[in-house]
């Protein structure tokens, strides 16, 4: 094969995003954490406080939906997502039935967004395998202030 053919073949390669999601709901409020890794290896972290009341399972779905929409906005066509929610992963992957009306609505929204991806997979990970997204979700619930925040993280040696 000549160089042109190889270049043409590789240009059709689908670049996968990795997205770790987690939701949290407690007495202080609810929030979600997203940890995205681009195909080029760039990490994007997002902590979102939800301005409405949700259960923990609903927060988990909100995190998944926000992660899907972020990848979509960034032009991603393939996504591998990771969540520590057995319920959400089971429902999305068709292993569990969504019986509750709210869960059926969330599942329908995920399925609708999923159709926009050329490749989509959601994998269950243990809580210890999802600590980064968990920390970001917990951060979102840690303050009731509606002030925009910038959090600097530095290494002190």
């Amino acid at each position: 094969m000549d160089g042109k053919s190889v270049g043409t073949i590789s240009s059709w390669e689908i670049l996968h995003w990795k997205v770790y999601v987690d939701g949290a709901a407690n007495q202080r409020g609810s929030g979600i954490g997203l940890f995205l890794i681009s195909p080029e290896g760039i990490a994007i972290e997002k902590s979102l406080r939800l301005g409405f009341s949700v259960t923990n399972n609903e927060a988990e779905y909100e995190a998944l939906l926000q992660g899907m929409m972020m990848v979509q906005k960034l032009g991603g066509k393939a996504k591998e997502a990771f969540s520590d929610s057995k319920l959400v992963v089971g429902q999305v992957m068709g292993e569990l039935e969504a019986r509750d009306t709210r869960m059926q609505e969330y599942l329908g929204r995920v399925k609708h967004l999923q159709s926009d991806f050329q490749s989509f997979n959601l994998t269950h990970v243990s809580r210890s395998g999802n600590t980064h997204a968990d920390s970001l979700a917990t951060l979102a619930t840690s303050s009731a202030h509606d002030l925009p925040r910038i959090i600097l993280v530095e290494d002190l040696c």
Side-chain angles (χ1 to χ4, degrees), residues 77-153:
K77 295 293 181 188
K79 175 184 169 178
E80 187 164 357
F82 303 90
S83 171
D84 59 22
S85 171
K86 288 182 182 179
L87 178 82
V88 171
V89 172
Q91 289 177 352
V92 171
M93 299 311 291
E95 299 159 1
L96 296 175
E97 184 182 342
R99 295 181 184 160
D100 178 75
T101 305
R102 293 284 294 157
M103 294 296 105
Q104 290 172 353
E105 290 172 8
Y106 275 114
L107 180 58
R109 289 173 58 197
V110 168
K111 293 294 184 184
H112 177 74
L113 282 175
Q114 185 178 344
S115 66
D116 293 336
F117 290 93
Q118 292 176 9
S119 172
F120 176 87
N121 189 46
L122 178 60
T123 303
H124 179 260
V125 292
S126 66
R127 285 181 181 251
S128 62
N130 203 30
T131 56
H132 202 103
D134 179 66
S135 297
L136 293 166
T138 303
L139 175 64
T141 66
S142 67
S143 174
H145 302 293
D146 291 332
L147 300 173
R149 295 188 272 184
I150 296 175
I151 299 173
L152 303 174
V153 178

Side-chain angles (χ1 to χ4, degrees), residues 26-101:
N26 56 45
Q27 66 277 6
R28 295 183 310 252
S30 51
I32 60 175
L34 307 171
F35 180 53
L36 291 79
I37 303 170
S38 76
E40 299 81 20
I42 298 168
I44 301 169
E45 302 161 305
K46 193 160 188 176
S47 179
L48 295 164
R49 182 170 179 79
L50 300 177
F52 48 93
S53 181
V54 294
T55 66
N56 198 62
N57 288 328
E58 291 169 348
E60 297 282 354
Y61 262 115
E62 288 288 344
L64 178 59
L65 287 165
Q66 288 297 318
M68 292 174 80
M69 287 187 285
M70 279 186 69
V71 169
Q72 199 175 44
K73 285 178 185 174
L74 293 167
K77 295 293 181 188
K79 175 184 169 178
E80 187 164 357
F82 303 90
S83 171
D84 59 22
S85 171
K86 288 182 182 179
L87 178 82
V88 171
V89 172
Q91 289 177 352
V92 171
M93 299 311 291
E95 299 159 1
L96 296 175
E97 184 182 342
R99 295 181 184 160
D100 178 75
T101 305

